[in-house]
mmCIF file of all heavy atoms in Angstrom:
data_model
loop_
_atom_site.group_PDB
_atom_site.id
_atom_site.type_symbol
_atom_site.label_atom_id
_atom_site.label_comp_id
_atom_site.label_asym_id
_atom_site.label_seq_id
_atom_site.Cartn_x
_atom_site.Cartn_y
_atom_site.Cartn_z
ATOM 1 N N PRO N 606 -85.936 -69.662 260.139
ATOM 2 C CA PRO N 606 -85.423 -70.513 261.217
ATOM 3 C C PRO N 606 -84.453 -71.581 260.704
ATOM 4 O O PRO N 606 -84.680 -72.159 259.641
ATOM 5 C CB PRO N 606 -86.692 -71.159 261.790
ATOM 6 C CG PRO N 606 -87.692 -71.098 260.685
ATOM 7 C CD PRO N 606 -87.374 -69.861 259.915
ATOM 8 N N ALA N 607 -83.400 -71.802 261.505
ATOM 9 C CA ALA N 607 -82.370 -72.761 261.093
ATOM 10 C C ALA N 607 -81.583 -73.236 262.306
ATOM 11 O O ALA N 607 -81.673 -72.653 263.400
ATOM 12 C CB ALA N 607 -81.428 -72.100 260.087
ATOM 13 N N PHE N 608 -80.796 -74.273 262.072
ATOM 14 C CA PHE N 608 -80.015 -74.901 263.126
ATOM 15 C C PHE N 608 -78.566 -74.975 262.656
ATOM 16 O O PHE N 608 -78.293 -75.402 261.530
ATOM 17 C CB PHE N 608 -80.572 -76.309 263.367
ATOM 18 C CG PHE N 608 -79.745 -77.157 264.275
ATOM 19 C CD1 PHE N 608 -79.574 -76.814 265.614
ATOM 20 C CD2 PHE N 608 -79.149 -78.331 263.808
ATOM 21 C CE1 PHE N 608 -78.807 -77.609 266.463
ATOM 22 C CE2 PHE N 608 -78.383 -79.136 264.651
ATOM 23 C CZ PHE N 608 -78.216 -78.772 265.979
ATOM 24 N N ALA N 609 -77.637 -74.503 263.513
ATOM 25 C CA ALA N 609 -76.218 -74.601 263.162
ATOM 26 C C ALA N 609 -75.636 -75.783 263.922
ATOM 27 O O ALA N 609 -75.532 -75.760 265.150
ATOM 28 C CB ALA N 609 -75.494 -73.313 263.517
ATOM 29 N N GLU N 610 -75.268 -76.800 263.184
ATOM 30 C CA GLU N 610 -74.830 -78.075 263.763
ATOM 31 C C GLU N 610 -73.548 -77.882 264.607
ATOM 32 O O GLU N 610 -73.434 -78.433 265.705
ATOM 33 C CB GLU N 610 -74.630 -79.054 262.596
ATOM 34 C CG GLU N 610 -73.924 -80.356 262.859
ATOM 35 C CD GLU N 610 -74.645 -81.299 263.819
ATOM 36 O OE1 GLU N 610 -75.878 -81.423 263.744
ATOM 37 O OE2 GLU N 610 -73.945 -81.906 264.639
ATOM 38 N N ASN N 611 -72.604 -77.059 264.134
ATOM 39 C CA ASN N 611 -71.284 -76.988 264.793
ATOM 40 C C ASN N 611 -71.353 -76.628 266.281
ATOM 41 O O ASN N 611 -70.725 -77.287 267.088
ATOM 42 C CB ASN N 611 -70.330 -76.061 264.012
ATOM 43 C CG ASN N 611 -70.847 -74.630 263.966
ATOM 44 O OD1 ASN N 611 -71.996 -74.365 264.335
ATOM 45 N ND2 ASN N 611 -70.005 -73.708 263.510
ATOM 46 N N ASN N 612 -72.191 -75.607 266.623
ATOM 47 C CA ASN N 612 -72.283 -75.315 268.057
ATOM 48 C C ASN N 612 -73.688 -75.525 268.611
ATOM 49 O O ASN N 612 -74.029 -75.015 269.669
ATOM 50 C CB ASN N 612 -71.772 -73.903 268.357
ATOM 51 C CG ASN N 612 -72.247 -72.939 267.303
ATOM 52 O OD1 ASN N 612 -73.139 -73.265 266.505
ATOM 53 N ND2 ASN N 612 -71.689 -71.744 267.284
ATOM 54 N N LYS N 613 -74.483 -76.289 267.835
ATOM 55 C CA LYS N 613 -75.840 -76.662 268.286
ATOM 56 C C LYS N 613 -76.686 -75.450 268.670
ATOM 57 O O LYS N 613 -77.397 -75.445 269.658
ATOM 58 C CB LYS N 613 -75.758 -77.624 269.480
ATOM 59 C CG LYS N 613 -74.879 -78.840 269.258
ATOM 60 C CD LYS N 613 -75.744 -80.107 269.171
ATOM 61 C CE LYS N 613 -74.927 -81.367 268.945
ATOM 62 N NZ LYS N 613 -74.257 -81.409 267.625
ATOM 63 N N GLU N 614 -76.578 -74.416 267.846
ATOM 64 C CA GLU N 614 -77.395 -73.236 268.106
ATOM 65 C C GLU N 614 -78.629 -73.246 267.212
ATOM 66 O O GLU N 614 -78.537 -73.598 266.031
ATOM 67 C CB GLU N 614 -76.598 -71.972 267.779
ATOM 68 C CG GLU N 614 -75.654 -71.549 268.873
ATOM 69 C CD GLU N 614 -74.848 -70.338 268.427
ATOM 70 O OE1 GLU N 614 -74.079 -70.457 267.459
ATOM 71 O OE2 GLU N 614 -75.027 -69.278 269.037
ATOM 72 N N CYS N 615 -79.752 -72.836 267.775
ATOM 73 C CA CYS N 615 -80.977 -72.693 266.979
ATOM 74 C C CYS N 615 -81.230 -71.208 266.760
ATOM 75 O O CYS N 615 -80.923 -70.391 267.626
ATOM 76 C CB CYS N 615 -82.158 -73.311 267.697
ATOM 77 S SG CYS N 615 -81.985 -75.091 267.864
ATOM 78 N N PHE N 616 -81.780 -70.887 265.611
ATOM 79 C CA PHE N 616 -82.069 -69.485 265.313
ATOM 80 C C PHE N 616 -83.499 -69.338 264.823
ATOM 81 O O PHE N 616 -83.943 -70.101 263.974
ATOM 82 C CB PHE N 616 -81.123 -68.973 264.223
ATOM 83 C CG PHE N 616 -79.687 -68.959 264.640
ATOM 84 C CD1 PHE N 616 -78.854 -70.008 264.293
ATOM 85 C CD2 PHE N 616 -79.177 -67.902 265.384
ATOM 86 C CE1 PHE N 616 -77.519 -70.005 264.670
ATOM 87 C CE2 PHE N 616 -77.842 -67.889 265.765
ATOM 88 C CZ PHE N 616 -77.010 -68.944 265.417
ATOM 89 N N LEU N 617 -84.180 -68.339 265.365
ATOM 90 C CA LEU N 617 -85.538 -68.044 264.908
ATOM 91 C C LEU N 617 -85.524 -66.766 264.075
ATOM 92 O O LEU N 617 -84.624 -65.935 264.217
ATOM 93 C CB LEU N 617 -86.458 -67.874 266.114
ATOM 94 C CG LEU N 617 -86.667 -69.154 266.932
ATOM 95 C CD1 LEU N 617 -87.392 -68.849 268.229
ATOM 96 C CD2 LEU N 617 -87.430 -70.175 266.105
ATOM 97 N N GLN N 618 -86.507 -66.620 263.250
ATOM 98 C CA GLN N 618 -86.611 -65.448 262.384
ATOM 99 C C GLN N 618 -87.300 -64.311 263.120
ATOM 100 O O GLN N 618 -88.356 -64.506 263.719
ATOM 101 C CB GLN N 618 -87.432 -65.817 261.151
ATOM 102 C CG GLN N 618 -87.646 -64.697 260.179
ATOM 103 C CD GLN N 618 -86.336 -64.191 259.631
ATOM 104 O OE1 GLN N 618 -85.799 -63.175 260.069
ATOM 105 N NE2 GLN N 618 -85.788 -64.949 258.704
ATOM 106 N N LYS N 619 -86.715 -63.130 263.030
ATOM 107 C CA LYS N 619 -87.280 -61.985 263.728
ATOM 108 C C LYS N 619 -88.213 -61.174 262.840
ATOM 109 O O LYS N 619 -89.087 -60.468 263.320
ATOM 110 C CB LYS N 619 -86.122 -61.100 264.179
ATOM 111 C CG LYS N 619 -86.459 -60.178 265.306
ATOM 112 C CD LYS N 619 -85.179 -59.562 265.810
ATOM 113 C CE LYS N 619 -85.466 -58.486 266.827
ATOM 114 N NZ LYS N 619 -84.205 -57.929 267.315
ATOM 115 N N ASP N 620 -87.977 -61.233 261.540
ATOM 116 C CA ASP N 620 -88.745 -60.369 260.641
ATOM 117 C C ASP N 620 -89.428 -61.212 259.564
ATOM 118 O O ASP N 620 -88.756 -61.808 258.717
ATOM 119 C CB ASP N 620 -87.793 -59.358 260.000
ATOM 120 C CG ASP N 620 -88.548 -58.293 259.220
ATOM 121 O OD1 ASP N 620 -89.705 -58.565 258.814
ATOM 122 O OD2 ASP N 620 -87.988 -57.212 259.010
ATOM 123 N N SER N 621 -90.751 -61.218 259.587
ATOM 124 C CA SER N 621 -91.470 -62.115 258.682
ATOM 125 C C SER N 621 -91.184 -61.815 257.210
ATOM 126 O O SER N 621 -91.332 -62.675 256.355
ATOM 127 C CB SER N 621 -92.977 -62.018 258.938
ATOM 128 O OG SER N 621 -93.402 -60.710 258.680
ATOM 129 N N LEU N 622 -90.760 -60.579 256.898
ATOM 130 C CA LEU N 622 -90.447 -60.256 255.500
ATOM 131 C C LEU N 622 -89.257 -61.053 254.986
ATOM 132 O O LEU N 622 -89.052 -61.164 253.783
ATOM 133 C CB LEU N 622 -90.087 -58.774 255.374
ATOM 134 C CG LEU N 622 -91.195 -57.775 255.146
ATOM 135 C CD1 LEU N 622 -90.604 -56.425 254.786
ATOM 136 C CD2 LEU N 622 -92.136 -58.242 254.053
ATOM 137 N N LEU N 623 -88.463 -61.586 255.893
ATOM 138 C CA LEU N 623 -87.248 -62.288 255.474
ATOM 139 C C LEU N 623 -87.418 -63.794 255.339
ATOM 140 O O LEU N 623 -86.472 -64.492 254.963
ATOM 141 C CB LEU N 623 -86.103 -61.984 256.442
ATOM 142 C CG LEU N 623 -85.401 -60.652 256.195
ATOM 143 C CD1 LEU N 623 -84.405 -60.370 257.305
ATOM 144 C CD2 LEU N 623 -84.691 -60.654 254.842
#
Side-chain angles (χ1 to χ4, degrees):
F608 171 65
E610 168 64 41
N611 62 349
N612 41 13
K613 308 250 180 294
E614 279 177 297
C615 295
F616 296 97
L617 294 170
Q618 179 61 260
K619 201 170 173 179
D620 189 337
S621 62
L622 272 191
L623 279 173

